[in-house]
Amino acid sequence: MTQTASPLPERGPTGRRTAKGSLAAKSAQRVERPAPLRQVVYDALAELIINRTLEPGQHLVEADLAEYLGVSRQPVREALQRLQTEGWVDLRPAQGAFVHMPTDEEADQLLGVRAVLETHSARLAAGCATEADVARLWELQNAGLEALAADDSEGLVSANADLHAFLTELTGNAVLAELIGLVDRRVRWYYTPIARPRGHDAWHEHAELIEAVAAHDVEKAEKIMAHHTERTRQAFHERPEAARE
């Protein structure tokens, strides 16, 4: 049963927003059962980090998260340990758990790998896309433009992921799809704070890419995707909050 979280402090002693403060602004998100509880809690916390409800650097208190999700502290503790192993959370002795603060080097490493994979994906897709495939790409493009017009950050992130995922699907390359899938969540994490400022340019680049795919121009599609992914990397470093981190 959904219920509104009680009023909670927005800032901790250091001045940063607390996890409790972030969650207080949203309705309680009770996890659903009978799915394996530890997996459901892990997925819920990972998504809260990815969509930046829980921001980089925020303190994560087990009791607060357990209350928000409507579970005991044990599955939350297990989820935080797994999230630390995967690089989403930092566990600090005598301080507790904090959302990981990505470094510029980490961003460059991930987005650099993503650029290699996505550029190859665009080249392959341009070589084999059918008219129906191109029509579907334009549908996904329109979904992104609608989110852009509505100033919907979450919608932009979702539409962007859907368009890139469909391009990968067109390649028919299972290994490529698996590798891109491994970095997808973290790419969405990096993309969320820049989805709106990058919006107009990003979706213009998407349109150019679809045109190249429709024309089966593999060289152009590869070039456009290389430029597109590089601009995303640059935009992450240029985001306003980068100066405060």
Side-chain angles (χ1 to χ4, degrees):
M1 179 177 177
T2 300
Q3 56 183 332
T4 302
S6 57
L8 300 167
E10 291 286 336
R11 303 280 169 180
T14 63
R16 280 193 176 277
R17 293 177 68 198
T18 64
K20 208 169 187 183
S22 294
L23 298 176
K26 292 178 173 283
S27 296
Q29 181 181 314
R30 303 306 189 187
V31 297
E32 296 182 4
R33 305 180 189 189
L37 189 57
R38 67 179 63 185
Q39 181 64 42
V40 175
V41 171
Y42 164 82
D43 288 337
L45 292 180
E47 191 58 33
L48 288 169
I49 292 171
I50 291 166
N51 66 30
R52 298 202 174 218
T53 297
L54 299 174
E55 299 174 352
Q58 282 190 254
H59 189 200
L60 303 174
V61 180
E62 288 179 8
D64 299 342
L65 297 173
E67 178 185 356
Y68 179 71
L69 296 174
V71 298
S72 68
R73 294 173 61 174
Q74 182 60 32
V76 171
R77 183 178 301 116
E78 293 173 354
L80 291 176
Q81 290 171 345
R82 179 177 170 187
L83 289 165
Q84 181 209 26
T85 301
E86 297 177 359
W88 294 104
V89 166
D90 298 326
L91 297 180
R92 304 173 189 170
Q95 295 184 54
F98 296 80
V99 178
H100 180 66
M101 183 81 74
T103 66
D104 285 353
E105 181 179 1
E106 288 170 348
D108 283 341
Q109 288 178 0
L110 181 83
L111 296 177
V113 169
R114 181 238 187 179
V116 172
L117 297 173
E118 294 277 12
T119 300
H120 186 54
S121 180
R123 182 182 184 90
L124 294 180
C128 63
T130 66
E131 289 186 9
D133 294 333
V134 173
R136 177 57 182 157
L137 285 171
W138 284 119
E139 289 178 2
L140 295 170
Q141 170 75 359
N142 288 334
L145 292 177
E146 290 175 3
L148 182 62
D151 199 27
D152 177 3
S153 181
E154 289 188 17
L156 282 169
V157 174
S158 178
N160 182 73
D162 288 345
L163 190 149
H164 281 264
F166 187 67
L167 273 172
T168 302
E169 182 182 329
L170 294 186
T171 69
N173 188 318
V175 174
L176 181 61
E178 180 180 1
L179 292 174
I180 290 179
L182 289 175
V183 301
D184 175 65
R185 269 185 160 179
R186 203 166 293 270
V187 168
R188 286 198 291 128
W189 186 42
Y190 288 130
Y191 191 67
T192 294
I194 63 173
R196 284 187 288 182
R198 223 350 232 135
H200 289 285
D201 288 342
W203 290 93
H204 175 70
E205 292 156 14
H206 283 158
E208 291 183 330
L209 177 63
I210 296 171
E211 290 170 357
V213 170
H216 300 293
D217 190 334
V218 296
E219 299 294 339
K220 188 174 182 180
E222 184 178 54
K223 182 178 179 180
I224 291 170
M225 182 63 88
H227 171 74
H228 177 67
T229 54
E230 173 58 19
R231 283 296 300 123
T232 296
R233 188 192 68 80
Q234 292 174 359
F236 180 79
H237 291 305
E238 294 165 359
R239 71 199 190 286
E241 62 267 33
R244 302 194 300 270
E245 295 178 354

